[in-house]
Amino acid sequence: PKVESRRTSGAPGSDVCVGGRRVDDAERQLIASIARRFYFEDMSKTELARAYGLSRFKVARRLEEARQE
């Protein structure tokens, strides 16, 4: 399925749609941080979940969103 990523308005700091879900700048930074640590620091999903206080499922979802972005 095609994934759409676009700003919902022209204003800086506005939300962006990622995979049909609206995310703000803080969420985008979280997604990027999780992806960096997973791919470049070789952290496992379990380690990331513990570090960010998320479930492994949520970490996996953020990684999928990073791949789609």
Side-chain angles (χ1 to χ4, degrees):
K2 185 176 179 182
V3 175
E4 193 171 321
S5 175
R6 68 178 193 275
R7 289 211 176 268
T8 56
S9 73
S14 60
D15 293 349
V16 175
C17 289
V18 176
R21 185 170 82 89
R22 189 172 288 176
V23 296
D24 61 13
D25 287 338
E27 180 70 13
R28 286 185 59 158
Q29 289 177 355
L30 174 66
I31 292 168
S33 178
I34 288 172
R36 262 192 309 275
R37 294 178 84 180
F38 182 76
Y39 290 110
F40 297 121
E41 297 178 21
D42 294 323
M43 289 183 73
S44 70
K45 291 175 188 171
T46 301
E47 291 170 326
L48 289 165
R50 208 172 294 129
Y52 288 96
L54 300 171
S55 68
R56 285 181 293 148
F57 176 79
K58 287 183 180 181
V59 168
R61 186 183 320 154
R62 298 313 187 279
L63 289 169
E64 181 61 32
E65 290 171 349
R67 281 190 286 270
Q68 294 172 356
E69 189 66 12

